[in-house]
Amino acid sequence: MNGNNGNLAPRPHKPKPFTPLDFEIFAGGADPARVSEAAHLAAQALVHRGRESADPDVTRRLVELADQQGLEAIAEMWAESPARSLPGALWRLYALRAATQQNPEKMAAFFKAGKEAAPVSKVVAGVAEPPGAEEVKTMADAILSGAFDGDFDVALERSAAFCRIVALGQTHHADAADPSNEQHGTKLTRSSHLLMKTAEDLEAAAEAWRRGQLD
């Protein structure tokens, strides 16, 4: 073998975004402790990869991970994680984006109905005015992008603010619901309560991140 091989430059390659498939060995009837460990390792790998890269294509691929792999794959990996943990917080960011992308008109309607009752949250969420379907979709992408190329705690707080406003909007719609459709009003009220709890969890996760205790 000739010595020139040692002078060859390594072939350039694009960073490979982390995917849930990297942890599929933990799926099925695995030890819950190992599944939890895998969820945390996956979340750490995802966040670190995004934050260490200055390539906008890497950020875009991370933001669109659920589009490529399916939200179910991400749910299988992270949905059972504690809400106030890194994988739990990431799951909520991805789930919020997915819900917004799937029903942007409905989310925009809830946001419009709730924004005046929460002026501070409205500013933190950062949705462009007037908040229509495209504006809330853009916001959801921007929040998730910020988790990888901005301040992670700010991304969590923006998501929490959006949840609070949408929850207030759902309460408003529930109060205005047709009395003959009590089931619809009850469903909106329940969803509102869950979103408020999600907002609290995201805010707590942001505070834990600032303390260096979100893992």
Side-chain angles (χ1 to χ4, degrees), residues 73-170:
I74 295 180
E76 185 175 341
M77 184 169 59
W78 288 335
E80 297 304 316
S81 299
R84 301 183 183 191
S85 68
L86 184 59
L90 268 178
W91 160 242
R92 281 154 182 77
L93 291 181
Y94 275 104
L96 179 66
R97 177 184 179 272
T100 304
Q101 296 289 334
Q102 290 165 9
N103 292 293
E105 292 83 5
K106 185 178 292 186
M107 295 294 268
F110 290 146
F111 190 91
K112 287 177 183 176
K115 66 187 179 77
E116 298 309 326
V120 174
S121 292
K122 174 186 168 186
V123 172
V124 173
V127 178
E129 289 286 347
E134 288 305 315
E135 285 74 20
V136 296
K137 286 170 64 178
T138 298
M139 178 232 55
D141 278 354
I143 286 176
L144 194 48
S145 292
F148 302 118
D149 63 11
D151 295 320
F152 192 75
D153 55 327
V154 172
L156 295 178
E157 288 177 332
R158 287 187 67 189
S159 185
F162 184 71
C163 286
R164 284 189 180 279
I165 293 175
V166 170
L168 288 168
Q170 288 179 329

Side-chain angles (χ1 to χ4, degrees), residues 20-101:
L21 299 179
D22 295 326
F23 278 84
E24 65 183 4
I25 58 169
F26 293 97
D31 179 353
R34 294 190 73 202
V35 173
S36 176
E37 179 186 10
H40 283 77
L41 287 172
Q44 290 164 7
L46 203 70
V47 172
H48 291 160
R49 178 161 296 169
R51 296 179 69 78
E52 289 171 0
S53 174
D55 185 349
D57 284 340
V58 171
T59 300
R60 178 182 55 78
R61 290 199 296 271
L62 291 173
V63 168
E64 295 174 356
L65 184 62
D67 302 339
Q68 300 158 2
Q69 300 293 335
L71 190 64
E72 296 79 7
I74 295 180
E76 185 175 341
M77 184 169 59
W78 288 335
E80 297 304 316
S81 299
R84 301 183 183 191
S85 68
L86 184 59
L90 268 178
W91 160 242
R92 281 154 182 77
L93 291 181
Y94 275 104
L96 179 66
R97 177 184 179 272
T100 304
Q101 296 289 334

